[in-house]
Amino acid sequence: MTFVTKLRFQSGNRYELESEVSDLKSMLERKGAECKGPHADPPERITVPQYKSLQPGDAFSAWDYTVYSRQLEIHGNDHIAREVGHMDFPESLHVEIEVEQQKPAGHLQK
């Protein structure tokens, strides 16, 4: 059975995100891992209201920021995927890792 490791990166700092993801992709390719991506989602614009006190009423102008995201998939190469799962990434990056088990076509479940 093959494992697919899906990595999702999010950050408000687009340049740091691009740098980290491209460095990771280069490392995966050097180690011979089959890698798909990075795939980019459209930037997400977030607006957060800011209040001057805990009581409703006075408010500062809303805080706006953009979140950028990229996705990578590692097919097979469980040892490399495990290594990536233990890597330290900058605090400005949010990293989600999902592991999915794929069965070959025609495989019967018991």
Side-chain angles (χ1 to χ4, degrees):
M1 284 181 237
T2 303
F3 289 94
V4 176
T5 305
K6 297 179 180 182
L7 304 163
R8 180 176 172 86
F9 301 90
Q10 293 179 316
S11 179
N13 184 336
R14 182 174 148 202
Y15 301 105
E16 186 171 26
L17 175 68
E18 292 290 344
S19 174
E20 287 292 324
V21 171
S22 63
D23 290 350
L24 179 61
K25 170 101 177 171
S26 297
M27 190 250 333
L28 291 170
E29 288 174 344
R30 271 194 321 272
K31 292 190 175 207
E34 182 184 341
C35 183
K36 293 186 180 179
H39 305 290
D41 292 336
E44 184 180 355
R45 193 88 179 131
I46 308 288
T47 302
V48 180
Q50 299 183 90
Y51 298 100
K52 292 184 179 183
S53 68
L54 296 177
Q55 304 299 323
D58 287 341
F60 295 108
S61 58
W63 178 44
D64 295 330
Y65 64 99
T66 304
V67 176
Y68 303 94
S69 56
R70 302 290 180 269
Q71 297 175 19
L72 279 173
E73 289 184 2
I74 304 170
H75 292 259
N77 298 325
D78 303 338
H79 64 286
I80 296 173
R82 192 174 300 115
E83 184 180 322
V84 170
H86 287 78
M87 290 176 68
D88 289 327
F89 293 101
E91 287 189 20
S92 63
L93 287 183
H94 174 75
V95 182
E96 294 177 10
I97 300 173
E98 179 184 337
V99 179
E100 184 178 292
Q101 186 176 5
Q102 291 188 340
K103 297 180 177 150
H107 179 78
L108 298 175
Q109 292 183 345
K110 293 182 182 182

